[in-house]
Amino acid sequence: QVQLVESGGGLVQSGGSLRLSCAASGSIFSSSTMGWYRQAPGKQRELVARITIDGNTNYADFVKGRFTISRDNAENVVSLQMNSLKSEDTAVYYCHANRLFINYWGQGTQVTVSS
């Protein structure tokens, strides 16, 4: 059974930093592109960043230069370092895995940035 468990969300002031982590169970991690999505109230879920098995990354324009995605293949963990947070970054952040065109999602973790 595949499980993605996020941690690290919370409340932070504008300009601050948070680090999200996602632990993946099962055999999914080593063969999956991993990513982070977010969904703000009243908005659609959107891609924040993703990282391939080989470590290639891509980011949404609105986080370039502020967020960094990384993966630890030995620990089956993908992380998102978020710096220079803005109030518009407030959302539920979801860990995502894509393996053989099948999508897996975590339960989400709330990030709230106060201005």
Side-chain angles (χ1 to χ4, degrees):
Q1 184 176 354
V2 174
Q3 279 191 310
L4 301 176
V5 180
E6 301 104 334
S7 60
L11 174 65
V12 64
Q13 288 188 331
S14 180
S17 299
L18 280 175
R19 184 176 181 86
L20 305 182
S21 294
C22 171
S25 66
S27 60
I28 187 176
F29 189 87
S30 61
S31 56
S32 297
T33 291
M34 302 298 297
W36 289 94
Y37 285 70
R38 72 185 188 186
Q39 188 167 18
K43 296 188 177 181
Q44 289 189 332
R45 192 172 297 189
E46 59 186 357
L47 174 68
V48 175
R50 59 184 165 210
I51 184 167
T52 68
I53 299 168
D54 297 331
N56 295 312
T57 59
N58 66 289
Y59 296 90
D61 286 344
F62 53 77
V63 302
K64 283 182 179 178
R66 300 190 298 126
F67 292 10
T68 302
I69 190 171
S70 61
R71 63 190 294 162
D72 184 334
N73 292 329
E75 298 293 331
N76 290 356
V77 172
V78 60
S79 299
L80 185 69
Q81 178 65 42
M82 305 185 294
N83 299 327
S84 302
L85 284 161
K86 307 174 182 180
S87 57
E88 50 263 45
D89 293 318
T90 294
V92 178
Y93 283 71
Y94 295 91
C95 181
H96 173 260
N98 180 274
R99 178 176 179 266
L100 300 176
F101 307 106
I102 298 175
N103 294 309
Y104 302 90
W105 296 94
Q107 82 285 356
T109 185
Q110 177 70 46
V111 171
T112 303
V113 184
S114 62
S115 56

